[in-house]
Amino acid sequence: MIRSFVFGAALATAAAALAAAPDRGAVNDAVIAEAGLPRTLSEYGFFTDAAAQIPTARVTPYRLNTPLWSDGAEKLRFVYVPQGTQAKADGEGLIDLPVGAALIKTFAFQKDGKRRLIETRVLLHRADGWLALPYVWNDEQTEAKLAVAGARMPVTTPAGEAIDYRVPNKNQCKECHGLNGEVIPIGPKARNLSADWLDRFADAGMIDKVPAVANRIPMWEDRATVSVAAAARGYLEANCAHCHRPGATASNSGLDLRWEQSDPHAIGIMKHPVAAGRGAGNLLYDVVPGKPDQSILTYRMASSEAGVAMPELGKATVDHDGLEAVERWIAALPQMDAARADH
């Protein structure tokens, strides 16, 4: 219920912002482009009211159909496209954002019935590539300061779990955003954005055309009404595939969990683990059709133990909804015996 409410509110906010007149101030383009590391979030000018997360002109809210889960945190996502430039459509994959663009993502939890901003991560597209920087909000909710070394703070999740929330350090950002030695965005892929939002983004002149999407990732809150495979594969795309793909930080696992991957062995079906170590839990295969309790994939998703839990970064608790979606998919897969699978 919490997820559905947040996602619906985010979509409504995004639609309203795209329709609004561009008279809400301006972003400091020089701060994005220059080589330094801005010490505070306010230096960018992304928000006219940062505490309320009201964006400046050309800073557009968006949501992902199926998002990355982070201990149930509310996430407020924005994309900035500088005046005089446009993003370019690139099929179903990542929107090609121009130099000078930025992606902004704020994490928040409820405290005493009020939304409390915890951190804001920014991805800046500079001439030499993308740069990821974390900013931590102060207690007064008036400013977020650069936290190159990361940070830790106590929070209570929507499920009532008290956790030690971790803000990644600057280098840890590369572990999720790294591909072939470069930092890249991982969220705003056309297939994981709604057709309505993409239409509005194009109408606002932010992108050169509406990307053609033949196989869109479903809305997470609609998972009970779509196929179990679509719900689970969408979840794995959003939560796992940025590392588990060729050229990324977990490519040595041999798993490729991207939405577009169709090879059964590549997505783990009756595949022996390559580098799981004790994380395999003495299980033999990443995914055993019909048997989620014998699958390494769900074993690691169901754990919060360091060295076992997957994903390794970005969560301290178990996403029971996501785990259920993947377990349902594995349970529905046609069973096969190991001898036939290893042949």
Side-chain angles (χ1 to χ4, degrees):
M1 182 65 70
I2 292 174
R3 278 179 169 174
S4 298
F5 173 78
V6 170
F7 296 163
L11 194 58
T13 301
L18 282 167
D23 58 357
R24 304 188 306 276
V27 170
N28 189 337
D29 290 320
V31 170
I32 294 176
E34 291 171 358
L37 303 181
R39 309 307 297 180
T40 62
L41 186 65
S42 61
E43 293 176 46
Y44 296 101
F46 290 139
F47 301 101
T48 58
D49 184 338
Q53 294 285 281
I54 298 174
T56 300
R58 300 189 69 85
V59 177
T60 305
Y62 71 97
R63 64 151 291 183
L64 302 177
N65 291 354
T66 294
L68 176 69
W69 186 83
S70 303
D71 291 317
E74 178 186 357
K75 296 180 184 179
L76 300 104
R77 296 175 172 87
F78 307 85
V79 55
Y80 170 64
V81 179
Q83 184 70 43
T85 69
Q86 281 186 317
K88 293 182 180 179
D90 189 15
E92 298 191 4
L94 280 168
I95 292 175
D96 184 6
L97 293 166
V99 170
L103 291 165
I104 307 107
K105 181 167 65 173
T106 296
F107 294 68
F109 288 91
Q110 292 286 315
K111 183 177 182 180
D112 299 328
K114 297 180 180 180
R115 183 174 70 189
R116 187 157 193 82
L117 309 179
I118 301 296
E119 63 161 321
T120 295
R121 302 177 191 176
V122 301
L123 270 175
L124 310 175
H125 197 184
R126 292 180 168 173
D128 58 352
W130 287 90
L131 174 67
L133 297 173
Y135 292 81
V136 174
W137 283 86
N138 60 17
D139 290 339
E140 296 75 24
Q141 300 282 277
T142 56
E143 181 65 276
K145 295 184 178 181
L146 180 64
V148 173
R152 294 189 182 190
M153 60 200 73
V155 304
T156 301
T157 73
E161 299 164 293
I163 64 170
D164 188 22
Y165 181 86
R166 296 185 180 185
V167 177
N169 63 48
K170 180 175 175 290
N171 290 327
Q172 284 176 319
C173 293
K174 298 176 183 177
E175 294 186 29
C176 289
H177 287 274
L179 184 66
N180 297 320
E182 298 182 358
V183 172
I184 65 164
I186 58 178
K189 298 170 184 173
R191 61 175 165 264
N192 203 13
L193 294 163
S194 74
D196 179 67
W197 187 90
L198 287 168
D199 286 342
R200 292 175 178 271
F201 200 53
D203 289 344
M206 303 288 187
I207 191 170
D208 60 347
K209 61 182 178 181
V210 177
V213 179
N215 189 20
R216 196 177 305 277
I217 294 173
M219 295 286 189
W220 178 245
E221 60 268 36
D222 294 339
R223 63 190 180 280
T225 62
V226 301
S227 73
V228 293
R233 291 295 306 278
Y235 182 87
L236 293 173
E237 157 77 20
N239 287 268
C240 311
H242 46 274
C243 291
H244 287 283
R245 59 172 295 179
T249 52
S251 59
N252 63 340
S253 69
L255 275 176
D256 182 359
L257 296 176
R258 291 175 295 172
W259 173 255
E260 65 268 34
Q261 178 57 259
S262 59
D263 177 65
H265 190 263
I267 62 176
I269 295 177
M270 297 307 288
K271 184 187 81 62
H272 290 292
V274 174
R278 71 185 185 89
N282 296 317
L283 299 173
L284 298 178
Y285 300 97
D286 293 334
V287 173
V288 180
K291 299 177 180 180
D293 60 327
Q294 296 182 23
S295 301
I296 296 171
L297 182 62
T298 47
Y299 171 75
R300 302 195 74 170
M301 287 179 62
S303 176
S304 57
E305 180 184 348
V308 177
M310 280 288 171
E312 294 179 322
L313 294 174
K315 71 161 195 171
T317 58
V318 174
D319 181 4
H320 294 285
D321 289 341
L323 176 61
E324 180 186 26
V326 175
E327 286 178 334
R328 290 178 62 211
W329 167 60
I330 293 175
L333 291 170
Q335 295 189 32
M336 64 176 70
D337 59 65
R340 180 159 58 93
D342 289 340
H343 180 67

